[in-house]
Amino acid sequence: MSFSDDFGTAGSRGNVPEYTVSEISRQVKREIENRFGRVRVRGEVGRVTRSAAGHVYLDLKERNEVLSAVIWRGVAGRLTHFPEEGMEIVATGKLTAFSGQSRYQLSIETVEPAGIGALMAMLEKRRQKLMAEGLFEQEHKQALPFLPEVVGIITSPTGSVIRDILHRFRDRFPRNVLLWPVAVQGENCPGEVVSAVRGFNALTPGGQIPRPDILIIARGGGSVEDLWGFNDENVARAVFSSSIPVISAIGHETDTTLVDYVADHRAPTPSAAAERAVPVQSELLGRMVSLDDRRIGALARLTGDLRKTLSGLYRALPNPAEYVNMQGQHLDLVCNRLELSFGQAFQERRGRFAAAVSRMQGATILRRIEQLQTLLSRNVQGLVRATSSTLEQKGIRQDSLARLMQSLGYEATLQRGFALVRRGDETGAVVTDLAGARGTSNFDIQFRDGHLRVRRPDEDAAGETASED
């Protein structure tokens, strides 16, 4: 087919045909579209721009050759793999001409990475970008709650994943579960996972729908293409921004996605995620019983130590009556010494006074007498004050010791409603435990106001006897 076949030679000058601009444009467009139709083109993505209307414009490059391409807005929203600069892809679409700029372009309908290598290269590029921004740093990881009340699960509502997680919860520690169903692969996966993460975080604590204490994002195993939705940059950023701690359980243990890097904890399988989310109830109960036993033992040891200390202090204290008698005797000795000293001082002063009188006469004697009387009165008053202060201090100390003895004695304990049990035999030993009670059949029980003698009946006796004195 040639242009002359369609337009003839009308209007030609010589042998050169003449066309209008629109005729050329239409014929070129028709020629390209009829010749190529729907094609698959492999190349490296160059610049990528998005217009305000939502259309995406890009270049496909191979060495020095460039093919312009466009992805219309309706197609761009359905793409599973969105082209990024530097990514090698296989684009399927129609080759057409754009008469407005006199150029041809590829109208892309689908985009596929050019093999696993291209996918991995793009994944590594995204990983390096997010790592440079600090999204993988350990300092951003949140601590997982020890025992969450509500667990939010983001996964497919069908399949073995949700059944495995619920089964592990029933075995370990049943919890309240909120399921947010999402597509776990395909073009809808990234958007639904982002909506689920943000939706759980938007719930109000204590509201009608409880806000989860922890989130689990789970999916079974699959190929790189199957797990690709969890390598989406928007999904990774949503998980990183979650104020609720997130456990990722994507694929098998060897599978790694961007969600695993930004999650607060990565589990190798969905079942392992459930095990990490809640403890084992039976183990917690066993631990509580063990701690309670240790607490009881510690209290028993502490009580025994205090009892031994109190018993030692009691034995170290003297008998109150003897102590009071000793203090009284000491007081008598002090009084005797004071009386003797006072008499000796008085006789000495009296002798000095008589000697002075014999040497003095008239008014001089009278003045000296007055001086000596004043001095004598002052000395007597000082001696009396010192004696009174000493006696008062001794009395205060004696009263304090008597009160201390009374508070430490067992009689004060009897006043509070307790009783003292002693063996009724000649030993009169205090009975403190059941083993000591089994060694005798007679007991003496002392109350605050008297004693009660009790005899334990023999094996063939029908009652017990008691006597009071």
Side-chain angles (χ1 to χ4, degrees):
M1 179 182 294
S2 63
F3 291 164
S4 61
D5 294 335
D6 291 337
F7 300 105
T9 58
S12 61
R13 185 174 182 179
N15 293 328
V16 179
E18 181 178 309
Y19 306 98
T20 65
V21 173
S22 59
E23 290 173 341
I24 289 292
S25 297
R26 285 194 299 270
Q27 182 62 22
V28 169
K29 177 178 177 66
R30 189 163 48 248
E31 184 73 18
I32 292 176
E33 292 178 353
N34 292 338
R35 172 67 180 82
F36 291 97
R38 197 166 185 270
V39 296
R40 289 168 56 86
V41 180
R42 179 170 183 158
E44 179 184 344
V45 178
R47 61 175 183 84
V48 180
T49 59
R50 185 186 291 269
S51 68
H55 308 310
V56 179
Y57 299 95
L58 65 148
D59 292 333
L60 293 177
K61 302 186 300 181
E62 183 183 8
R63 293 188 294 272
N64 296 327
E65 304 294 333
V66 177
L67 173 62
S68 297
V70 60
I71 305 175
W72 304 118
R73 180 179 58 189
V75 176
R78 299 193 303 268
L79 291 180
T80 303
H81 302 287
F82 194 83
E84 300 179 11
E85 186 173 353
M87 177 181 177
E88 188 176 4
I89 65 172
V90 176
T92 303
K94 294 181 179 180
L95 199 63
T96 183
F98 179 50
S99 59
Q101 295 182 358
S102 298
R103 62 183 178 85
Y104 63 93
Q105 62 185 12
L106 178 64
S107 178
I108 297 178
E109 298 174 357
T110 62
V111 174
E112 303 172 12
I116 297 297
L119 278 177
M120 300 310 295
M122 183 173 65
L123 175 60
E124 180 62 19
K125 182 179 178 181
R126 288 181 184 174
R127 193 183 71 83
Q128 292 293 338
K129 176 183 177 182
L130 297 180
M131 184 171 62
E133 296 180 17
L135 270 66
F136 305 158
E137 295 297 332
Q138 190 64 34
E139 63 186 25
H140 298 306
K141 306 296 184 184
Q142 302 180 76
L144 303 183
F146 176 72
L147 183 59
E149 290 293 333
V150 181
V151 180
I153 301 177
I154 301 174
T155 189
S156 172
T158 61
S160 61
V161 171
I162 185 63
R163 291 196 300 269
D164 291 344
I165 293 176
L166 296 179
H167 177 72
R168 295 305 294 156
F169 281 162
R170 285 192 297 269
D171 289 345
R172 294 174 67 84
F173 208 125
R175 296 284 84 189
N176 296 319
V177 173
L178 287 179
L179 171 64
W180 194 302
V182 297
V184 292
Q185 70 181 65
E187 60 185 26
N188 295 327
C189 174
E192 293 184 3
V193 173
V194 169
S195 298
V197 174
R198 293 175 178 172
F200 274 135
N201 278 268
L203 293 175
T204 303
Q208 185 176 4
I209 300 178
R211 188 173 188 261
D213 302 306
I214 193 171
L215 299 180
I216 296 177
I217 302 177
R219 187 204 187 282
S223 63
V224 176
E225 291 84 353
D226 294 336
L227 305 179
W228 194 254
F230 299 95
N231 287 318
D232 187 87
E233 183 175 340
N234 292 328
V235 175
R237 294 188 182 277
V239 173
F240 176 78
S241 301
S242 173
S243 60
I244 304 175
V246 177
I247 298 177
S248 67
I250 312 299
H252 297 301
E253 186 171 1
T254 57
D255 298 322
T256 304
T257 64
L258 292 181
V259 171
D260 296 324
Y261 288 109
V262 297
D264 299 296
H265 179 79
R266 176 183 181 267
T269 62
S271 296
E275 294 174 359
R276 182 61 183 86
V278 297
V280 180
Q281 187 177 29
S282 59
E283 293 179 357
L284 289 181
L285 293 176
R287 184 179 179 186
M288 291 178 62
V289 171
S290 176
L291 291 176
D292 191 59
D293 291 341
R294 292 174 59 186
R295 178 186 63 83
I296 294 174
L299 288 176
R301 289 191 296 272
L302 177 61
T303 304
D305 293 342
L306 292 176
R307 184 180 292 109
K308 291 178 181 178
T309 302
L310 182 60
S311 177
L313 292 174
Y314 178 76
R315 288 194 299 269
L317 290 174
N319 184 278
E322 294 179 0
Y323 185 80
V324 171
N325 294 333
M326 291 177 60
Q327 294 298 321
Q329 183 179 4
H330 181 70
L331 182 60
D332 291 340
L333 292 175
V334 171
C335 291
N336 293 334
R337 291 174 182 175
L338 287 175
E339 183 178 358
L340 180 61
S341 299
F342 182 79
Q344 292 176 350
F346 181 78
Q347 293 297 331
E348 182 180 348
R349 293 286 182 179
R350 186 175 181 178
R352 291 180 183 177
F353 176 72
V357 169
S358 63
R359 292 194 300 269
M360 296 181 181
Q361 296 179 356
T364 302
I365 294 176
L366 294 177
R367 286 195 300 272
R368 185 59 180 168
I369 291 174
E370 292 177 356
Q371 292 176 356
L372 292 175
Q373 288 178 341
T374 301
L375 180 61
L376 179 62
S377 176
R378 187 180 303 149
N379 290 335
V380 170
Q381 292 176 359
L383 182 61
V384 171
R385 285 195 299 271
T387 303
S388 300
S389 176
T390 301
L391 292 176
E392 182 179 359
Q393 291 177 1
K394 294 292 184 178
I396 292 174
R397 184 179 179 187
Q398 182 174 350
D399 292 342
S400 176
L401 290 174
R403 287 194 299 271
L404 176 61
M405 288 298 300
Q406 184 178 5
S407 64
L408 293 177
Y410 71 89
E411 288 85 355
T413 306
L414 298 179
Q415 293 295 329
R416 295 197 297 272
F418 292 88
L420 179 63
V421 181
R422 300 178 183 271
R423 295 171 64 95
D425 52 18
E426 63 277 0
T427 64
V430 177
V431 178
T432 61
D433 50 27
L434 185 59
R438 289 172 177 167
T440 182
S441 59
N442 296 321
F443 301 94
D444 177 78
I445 301 177
Q446 180 180 353
F447 299 94
R448 64 180 181 84
D449 55 352
H451 292 260
L452 177 64
R453 297 189 179 276
V454 177
R455 181 177 184 275
R456 185 172 59 188
D458 296 333
E459 294 181 354
D460 55 349
E464 63 181 16
T465 61
S467 62
E468 182 179 357
D469 58 8

